[in-house]
Amino acid sequence: MKGLNRYAKTGMDKTIEDIDFYEFYHMMDQGLTHMEIAEQLGITERAVGWLAKEIEKDV
C-alpha cells in the first residue's frame, strides 16, 4: 500500500497490523459510513478516510 509513512499522521490508536483489512473491505462494501467503520475498528474517522483513499490508489 502506498503512503504508509503518512499512516502515523492520521492519529490512529492502533497499528497497521492491528486492522483486519478483510473486515475493513467488507464494511466498505456494505456501505457503512466512515464513522461507523471507525467505531467498529477502534480507529479515527480520519484514518478510515485515509485508508479508503489508499485502497482506491492501489486498485
Side-chain angles (χ1 to χ4, degrees):
M1 196 177 291
K2 300 174 186 172
L4 287 179
N5 60 337
R6 292 188 308 269
Y7 177 80
K9 297 179 184 178
T10 61
M12 295 179 63
D13 295 332
K14 294 186 174 186
T15 65
I16 195 86
E17 293 86 13
D18 293 332
I19 296 171
D20 181 350
F21 284 100
Y22 175 78
E23 185 179 3
F24 181 82
Y25 290 131
H26 184 69
M27 286 187 256
M28 292 291 288
D29 284 342
Q30 287 182 327
L32 295 176
T33 66
H34 287 189
M35 180 180 282
E36 292 169 327
I37 294 170
E39 288 174 358
Q40 289 187 26
L41 293 179
I43 60 177
T44 65
E45 190 174 350
R46 180 179 174 200
V48 172
W50 178 83
L51 288 170
K53 282 183 185 179
E54 289 300 313
I55 289 169
E56 282 183 21
K57 289 179 187 178
D58 290 341
V59 173

